[in-house]
Amino acid sequence: SEHFLTSTRSSRVIPPHATQGFYVTFTTTDISYDTTSLNVGDSMMSDDNIDVLVGVSIPEYPFGSSFYEKRLWRGEIEYATHSTCEPSTSPSLSPTISTSFSPSSTVSASPTGQPSTASPTWGCSDESKLETTSDGEIAAYGSMFEVYAVPREDQQPLVIKTFDLLIEKPRVTVRVLVYTKPGTLVGHELDG
Protein backbone atom coordinates (compact mmCIF):
# COMPACT_ATOMS: atom_id res chain seq x y z
CA SER A 1 0.00 0.00 0.00
CA GLU A 2 1.00 3.61 -0.48
CA HIS A 3 0.81 6.42 2.06
CA PHE A 4 -1.60 9.03 0.79
CA LEU A 5 -3.13 12.36 1.73
CA THR A 6 -0.10 14.10 3.21
CA SER A 7 -2.13 17.31 3.29
CA THR A 8 -5.70 18.38 2.70
CA ARG A 9 -4.70 19.17 -0.90
CA SER A 10 -3.50 15.69 -1.86
CA SER A 11 -5.66 13.73 -4.25
CA ARG A 12 -6.06 10.37 -5.96
CA VAL A 13 -7.22 9.81 -9.55
CA ILE A 14 -9.35 6.72 -10.19
CA PRO A 15 -9.92 5.69 -13.82
CA PRO A 16 -13.50 4.98 -14.95
CA HIS A 17 -14.74 1.50 -14.03
CA ALA A 18 -11.91 1.04 -11.50
CA THR A 19 -11.80 0.44 -7.76
CA GLN A 20 -9.40 2.10 -5.30
CA GLY A 21 -8.98 0.85 -1.75
CA PHE A 22 -8.48 3.27 1.14
CA TYR A 23 -7.37 2.70 4.71
CA VAL A 24 -7.86 5.60 7.13
CA THR A 25 -6.23 5.19 10.53
CA PHE A 26 -5.78 7.24 13.73
CA THR A 27 -3.46 6.79 16.70
CA THR A 28 -6.61 6.61 18.84
CA THR A 29 -9.83 4.60 18.64
CA ASP A 30 -11.84 7.46 17.18
CA ILE A 31 -12.62 6.31 13.60
CA SER A 32 -16.39 5.97 13.63
CA TYR A 33 -18.21 3.24 11.77
CA ASP A 34 -21.41 1.25 11.82
CA THR A 35 -22.14 -2.44 11.32
CA THR A 36 -24.26 -3.77 8.48
CA SER A 37 -25.79 -6.95 7.11
CA LEU A 38 -24.34 -6.06 3.68
CA ASN A 39 -21.27 -7.97 2.56
CA VAL A 40 -17.79 -6.51 2.16
CA GLY A 41 -17.65 -5.02 -1.34
CA ASP A 42 -21.39 -4.27 -1.54
CA SER A 43 -22.44 -0.67 -2.19
CA MET A 44 -23.13 1.29 0.98
CA MET A 45 -23.62 4.72 -0.62
CA SER A 46 -23.49 5.97 -4.21
CA ASP A 47 -24.41 8.65 -6.69
CA ASP A 48 -24.04 8.93 -10.47
CA ASN A 49 -20.22 9.06 -10.29
CA ILE A 50 -18.99 7.27 -7.20
CA ASP A 51 -19.82 4.15 -5.24
CA VAL A 52 -18.47 3.69 -1.69
CA LEU A 53 -18.29 0.02 -0.74
CA VAL A 54 -18.72 -1.79 2.57
CA GLY A 55 -15.37 -2.48 4.22
CA VAL A 56 -13.76 -3.55 7.47
CA SER A 57 -12.55 -1.94 10.69
CA ILE A 58 -9.11 -2.43 12.22
CA PRO A 59 -8.89 -2.77 16.02
CA GLU A 60 -5.14 -1.99 16.30
CA TYR A 61 -2.84 0.86 15.17
CA PRO A 62 -1.60 1.21 12.51
CA PHE A 63 -2.18 -2.29 11.08
CA GLY A 64 -3.71 -5.10 13.04
CA SER A 65 -3.48 -8.84 13.29
CA SER A 66 -7.27 -9.06 12.91
CA PHE A 67 -10.17 -7.09 11.44
CA TYR A 68 -13.95 -6.88 11.68
CA GLU A 69 -15.98 -7.38 8.50
CA LYS A 70 -19.13 -5.66 7.29
CA ARG A 71 -18.34 -2.14 8.48
CA LEU A 72 -19.67 1.14 7.10
CA TRP A 73 -17.09 3.94 7.10
CA ARG A 74 -18.53 7.23 8.38
CA GLY A 75 -17.49 10.37 6.57
CA GLU A 76 -17.71 12.45 3.44
CA ILE A 77 -15.71 12.25 0.22
CA GLU A 78 -15.12 15.35 -1.88
CA TYR A 79 -14.41 14.46 -5.49
CA ALA A 80 -14.39 15.85 -9.00
CA THR A 81 -15.11 14.33 -12.40
CA HIS A 82 -13.90 16.97 -14.83
CA SER A 83 -11.04 16.19 -17.22
CA THR A 84 -9.31 19.50 -16.53
CA CYS A 85 -8.86 18.66 -12.89
CA GLU A 86 -5.14 19.35 -12.87
CA PRO A 87 -2.91 20.64 -10.06
CA SER A 88 -1.77 24.23 -10.19
CA THR A 89 1.95 24.86 -10.53
CA SER A 90 2.09 26.92 -7.35
CA PRO A 91 0.17 27.10 -4.08
CA SER A 92 -2.63 29.62 -3.64
CA LEU A 93 -1.73 32.83 -1.85
CA SER A 94 -4.92 33.02 0.15
CA PRO A 95 -5.24 30.80 3.23
CA THR A 96 -7.93 28.15 3.30
CA ILE A 97 -10.34 27.41 6.11
CA SER A 98 -9.90 23.66 5.92
CA THR A 99 -8.77 21.36 8.69
CA SER A 100 -5.17 20.24 8.53
CA PHE A 101 -4.59 16.50 8.71
CA SER A 102 -1.06 17.11 10.00
CA PRO A 103 -1.23 20.02 12.46
CA SER A 104 1.97 21.32 14.01
CA SER A 105 2.59 20.66 17.66
CA THR A 106 3.10 24.37 18.44
CA VAL A 107 0.99 27.43 17.80
CA SER A 108 2.48 30.03 15.49
CA ALA A 109 3.41 33.23 17.37
CA SER A 110 2.61 35.38 14.33
CA PRO A 111 1.03 33.71 11.32
CA THR A 112 2.41 34.93 8.00
CA GLY A 113 -0.66 34.51 5.83
CA GLN A 114 1.59 32.79 3.31
CA PRO A 115 1.17 29.16 2.28
CA SER A 116 3.10 26.78 4.50
CA THR A 117 3.81 24.20 1.79
CA ALA A 118 4.27 24.06 -1.93
CA SER A 119 1.56 21.43 -2.34
CA PRO A 120 -0.52 21.96 -5.47
CA THR A 121 -4.13 23.03 -5.29
CA TRP A 122 -6.78 21.47 -7.50
CA GLY A 123 -8.92 23.50 -9.84
CA CYS A 124 -11.83 21.27 -10.79
CA SER A 125 -14.98 22.57 -12.39
CA ASP A 126 -17.22 19.63 -11.49
CA GLU A 127 -16.83 19.09 -7.75
CA SER A 128 -19.22 16.99 -5.68
CA LYS A 129 -19.48 15.44 -2.23
CA LEU A 130 -20.86 12.12 -1.10
CA GLU A 131 -21.63 11.58 2.56
CA THR A 132 -21.80 8.05 3.87
CA THR A 133 -23.88 7.04 6.87
CA SER A 134 -23.90 9.19 9.98
CA ASP A 135 -25.39 6.33 11.98
CA GLY A 136 -23.32 4.26 14.35
CA GLU A 137 -21.17 5.14 17.30
CA ILE A 138 -18.68 2.29 17.22
CA ALA A 139 -15.04 3.32 16.95
CA ALA A 140 -11.76 1.68 16.01
CA TYR A 141 -8.19 2.62 15.09
CA GLY A 142 -8.89 2.28 11.39
CA SER A 143 -11.41 1.78 8.65
CA MET A 144 -10.87 0.19 5.23
CA PHE A 145 -13.27 0.77 2.37
CA GLU A 146 -13.23 0.94 -1.40
CA VAL A 147 -14.31 3.61 -3.86
CA TYR A 148 -15.55 2.57 -7.29
CA ALA A 149 -15.51 5.07 -10.17
CA VAL A 150 -18.82 4.54 -11.94
CA PRO A 151 -18.34 4.42 -15.73
CA ARG A 152 -19.40 7.71 -17.26
CA GLU A 153 -20.36 8.48 -20.83
CA ASP A 154 -17.48 10.98 -21.12
CA GLN A 155 -15.03 8.39 -19.67
CA GLN A 156 -13.47 11.00 -17.37
CA PRO A 157 -11.60 9.81 -14.28
CA LEU A 158 -12.76 10.41 -10.74
CA VAL A 159 -10.50 12.62 -8.62
CA ILE A 160 -10.75 12.02 -4.87
CA LYS A 161 -9.84 15.36 -3.32
CA THR A 162 -10.48 15.12 0.43
CA PHE A 163 -12.09 13.05 3.16
CA ASP A 164 -14.09 14.57 6.00
CA LEU A 165 -14.16 12.16 8.90
CA LEU A 166 -16.86 11.60 11.49
CA ILE A 167 -14.94 10.86 14.65
CA GLU A 168 -16.01 9.52 18.02
CA LYS A 169 -14.56 12.41 20.09
CA PRO A 170 -14.92 15.74 18.27
CA ARG A 171 -12.18 18.31 18.84
CA VAL A 172 -9.60 15.70 19.74
CA THR A 173 -6.18 16.03 18.11
CA VAL A 174 -5.17 12.85 16.32
CA ARG A 175 -2.65 11.86 13.69
CA VAL A 176 -4.46 10.72 10.55
CA LEU A 177 -2.84 8.41 8.03
CA VAL A 178 -4.51 7.44 4.78
CA TYR A 179 -3.19 4.52 2.73
CA THR A 180 -4.43 3.51 -0.67
CA LYS A 181 -3.96 0.88 -3.33
CA PRO A 182 -5.47 0.31 -6.75
CA GLY A 183 -8.06 -2.44 -6.79
CA THR A 184 -9.74 -4.28 -3.98
CA LEU A 185 -8.64 -4.47 -0.36
CA VAL A 186 -10.15 -7.93 0.02
CA GLY A 187 -7.29 -10.26 0.86
CA HIS A 188 -5.06 -7.31 1.87
CA GLU A 189 -6.72 -6.31 5.14
CA LEU A 190 -3.68 -7.23 7.24
CA ASP A 191 -0.98 -5.97 4.87
CA GLY A 192 1.28 -3.44 6.48
Side-chain angles (χ1 to χ4, degrees):
S1 63
E2 172 188 351
H3 183 245
F4 170 63
L5 208 71
T6 55
S7 75
T8 56
R9 293 292 176 210
S10 297
S11 65
R12 178 64 55 200
V13 177
I14 306 173
H17 200 63
T19 299
Q20 185 81 23
F22 292 94
Y23 172 46
V24 181
T25 183
F26 289 176
T27 55
T28 62
T29 56
D30 290 306
I31 297 265
S32 294
Y33 68 87
D34 195 11
T35 58
T36 181
S37 61
L38 297 171
N39 292 314
V40 172
D42 288 350
S43 175
M44 76 164 157
M45 189 66 60
S46 65
D47 65 17
D48 291 341
N49 303 302
I50 187 173
D51 199 356
V52 181
L53 309 180
V54 173
V56 302
S57 67
I58 307 297
E60 302 168 52
Y61 175 83
F63 294 95
S65 58
S66 64
F67 59 92
Y68 301 111
E69 291 188 337
K70 300 183 178 185
R71 300 304 191 248
L72 304 175
W73 172 71
R74 294 178 64 208
E76 183 178 79
I77 298 174
E78 181 181 345
Y79 69 91
T81 57
H82 196 270
S83 62
T84 61
C85 198
E86 298 294 331
S88 67
T89 56
S90 61
S92 76
L93 294 177
S94 55
T96 61
I97 306 179
S98 59
T99 304
S100 171
F101 285 101
S102 55
S104 63
S105 58
T106 59
V107 175
S108 219
S110 69
T112 65
Q114 297 297 314
S116 58
T117 67
S119 297
T121 57
W122 288 86
C124 304
S125 60
D126 191 11
E127 297 179 357
S128 298
K129 292 183 179 183
L130 180 65
E131 183 177 341
T132 64
T133 182
S134 59
D135 295 335
E137 295 184 11
I138 306 167
Y141 284 102
S143 185
M144 290 185 178
F145 57 93
E146 296 172 3
V147 172
Y148 173 71
V150 175
R152 296 165 33 95
E153 190 172 304
D154 62 9
Q155 291 299 302
Q156 296 303 320
L158 186 68
V159 179
I160 302 296
K161 295 180 64 183
T162 62
F163 293 111
D164 286 335
L165 307 171
L166 295 175
I167 62 173
E168 190 61 26
K169 299 174 194 155
R171 296 185 191 92
V172 65
T173 301
V174 295
R175 180 173 182 220
V176 178
L177 295 175
V178 179
Y179 296 87
T180 186
K181 71 174 283 313
T184 185
L185 291 172
V186 174
H188 300 277
E189 296 90 349
L190 303 178
D191 293 356

